[in-house]
Amino acid sequence: MTTTRRIKRIFIEAGAEDYDMTRRVLARLPGVPVEVIPHREVLRPRAGTPAAWIDAAKSTLLLAVQKGPFWRPCPGTRDYICCGYQVLQVGLNCPLDCTYCVLQGYLNIPAITLFVNVEDLLAELDRGWAADPHKVWRLGTGEFGDSLALDDLSGLNARLLPFFARQPRAVLEIKTKWHRLEPLLSLGPNSQVIFAWSLNPPEIIREAERGAATLKARLEAASRAAAAGFRLAFHFDPLIYFPGWEDAYQRTVARLGRAVPAGAVAWISLGGLRFLPPMRSLIHQRFPLSRIASYEMVAAPDGKLRYFKDLRIDMYGRMGTWLEKALPGALLYLCMESPRVWRAVWGWAPEGKDLAMLLDGRVLPAGK
Ligand code: SF4
């Protein structure tokens, strides 16, 4: 099933009617009820937690104009090593439904929002690059939703890919758990675009990533992207502990190594499952059979629940060994971890902007 067919209702916020993306979405969803609303606030639920309305939110689309900035630096967290990532907020929420999705705790509108004013986004990017022409920018659209899951509706990536192709010091990371990218393949080769898949073993995908592509489909999509001349990245984030995790992740890493050429991989991140404490009860309410929020976790300095440090270190260390064997030379990094954990895993920790510079080095074409 495509994600498009999951949409059962469309709201258009006043002011968003006269945009190409709005027309495109409506043309691709004939027969789906459409309502123009004066302001998105009228959709805001008056009572109840997101558990009461989030299922409906996954099949409702809100087309709106982004009035704030699209481009936001990833906030990072004190005490943890930051990679200097830049976030493009092109929408909010997604049609997939991962048990652990942190967006569940942030949503206040029962809909998937798509921002239709793409020209404003492109102008903002141009202004940002012009303000600091020597800086390297790593930008991504996958922090507030899936970068690919609604692309057949929005057509956004077909606008962004050629735009980034002209920017030698910027790279766009398309982070996804989806697999349909055929319309974009003809836009390669393009070294300024990195297709990035979030990966987990098949048993976790079945249990905790409802509606997302299978591991097989993600790896096949990655292979097609590499063959079309795009670079790749992978995120084992969240890494999830369960009895037998070693075998499951080792097999997954081996499949990854067989599916893609090591030379196409820009980076691979590792990050243990983490979320703010209220998420635990939200997960139990929405997914009563899920075991992933039941394992022991402790409150970390950033207020999030995480696995015990020794378990995280063990998981990262083993994953690192398996990944180095499967994809020799790939740049591995830990997402949102402390210098102590870095040192325990790999014997060193990046200081200051070291990690950002390492990743930036993967963005620049050779010799720049
Ligand atoms: S794909 Fe990402 S944004 Fe979508 S539900 Fe899963 S974790 Fe959340």
Side-chain angles (χ1 to χ4, degrees):
M1 187 184 191
T2 65
T3 53
T4 306
R5 287 171 56 199
R6 296 173 194 169
I7 303 300
K8 302 286 179 250
R9 196 161 184 207
I10 303 169
F11 293 102
I12 304 177
E13 189 178 47
E17 302 94 326
D18 195 19
Y19 283 88
D20 286 348
M21 190 191 289
T22 303
R23 285 186 280 274
R24 178 185 164 109
V25 169
L26 297 183
R28 278 161 195 256
L29 292 174
V32 175
V34 180
E35 187 181 336
V36 178
I37 54 173
H39 197 282
R40 70 193 79 167
E41 286 301 313
V42 303
L43 299 178
R44 194 189 279 254
R46 301 272 174 262
T49 68
W53 48 260
I54 210 163
D55 284 339
K58 294 284 177 183
S59 57
T60 305
L61 205 55
L62 169 66
L63 303 176
V65 171
Q66 172 65 285
K67 298 189 180 97
F70 282 95
W71 182 340
R72 300 145 192 252
C74 182
T77 314
R78 201 169 54 85
D79 301 323
Y80 296 95
I81 293 173
C82 174
C83 72
Y85 200 63
Q86 309 287 313
V87 174
L88 298 179
Q89 196 191 45
V90 297
L92 184 58
N93 196 2
C94 99
L96 314 181
D97 198 8
C98 303
T99 306
Y100 51 75
C101 179
V102 295
L103 293 179
Q104 295 171 101
Y106 294 114
L107 297 176
N108 56 17
I109 299 281
I112 303 163
T113 305
L114 283 180
F115 293 119
V116 297
N117 46 330
V118 182
E119 294 301 335
D120 294 337
L121 164 63
L122 302 183
E124 196 182 322
L125 286 169
D126 266 338
R127 281 197 304 277
W129 290 324
D132 199 345
H134 301 296
K135 192 169 162 44
V136 176
W137 301 106
R138 284 174 284 108
L139 299 115
T141 50
E143 297 302 301
F144 294 99
D146 188 280
S147 296
L148 208 52
L150 284 175
D151 208 44
D152 53 345
L153 272 186
S154 74
L156 178 63
N157 286 312
R159 302 282 308 275
L160 289 177
L161 266 55
F163 191 75
F164 272 77
R166 299 193 292 271
Q167 306 296 334
R169 299 186 74 80
V171 73
L172 174 68
E173 187 175 23
I174 298 178
K175 229 185 246 186
T176 187
K177 294 189 179 85
W178 196 235
H179 62 301
R180 290 177 194 259
L181 73 176
E182 275 60 31
L184 303 175
L185 294 179
S186 63
L187 300 172
N190 185 339
S191 59
Q192 302 315 110
V193 172
I194 295 177
F195 280 97
W197 276 270
S198 167
L199 297 182
N200 257 313
E203 40 273 75
I204 292 294
I205 292 176
R206 276 194 299 276
E207 177 178 332
E209 297 179 358
R210 193 157 72 184
T214 61
L215 177 65
K216 180 171 183 282
R218 290 181 217 184
L219 295 179
E220 286 172 357
S223 166
R224 291 197 297 278
F230 294 99
R231 289 190 289 169
L232 308 175
F234 298 96
H235 300 284
F236 286 91
D237 190 353
L239 265 179
I240 294 176
Y241 174 82
F242 59 98
W245 74 270
E246 300 95 326
D247 275 356
Y249 276 99
Q250 192 171 7
R251 272 189 273 111
T252 303
V253 169
R255 284 177 68 177
L256 170 62
R258 289 193 295 272
V260 300
V265 179
W267 50 68
I268 300 175
S269 78
L270 304 173
L273 179 68
R274 57 203 179 277
F275 45 72
L276 288 167
M279 269 283 295
R280 187 172 241 168
S281 61
L282 192 52
I283 290 173
H284 285 313
Q285 286 171 50
R286 292 201 63 228
F287 305 95
L289 298 179
S290 171
R291 294 165 297 166
I292 74 161
S294 305
Y295 294 108
E296 248 185 326
M297 298 172 98
V298 284
D302 61 352
K304 289 183 183 159
L305 297 176
R306 292 170 180 257
Y307 296 137
F308 283 99
K309 187 157 57 69
D310 287 351
L311 176 58
R312 301 200 317 269
I313 291 168
D314 182 40
M315 294 181 88
Y316 298 145
R318 291 188 203 219
M319 285 293 291
T321 304
W322 299 329
L323 283 162
E324 276 157 22
K325 188 169 164 218
L327 292 167
L331 173 60
L332 308 182
Y333 70 96
L334 301 179
C335 186
M336 293 290 168
E337 277 294 358
S338 66
R340 275 174 68 191
V341 169
W342 272 80
R343 277 192 281 272
V345 177
W346 285 319
W348 72 286
E351 295 196 8
K353 299 195 167 166
D354 286 358
L355 177 58
M357 285 167 62
L358 261 178
L359 294 166
D360 288 350
R362 296 289 173 126
V363 171
L364 289 177
K368 296 270 176 160

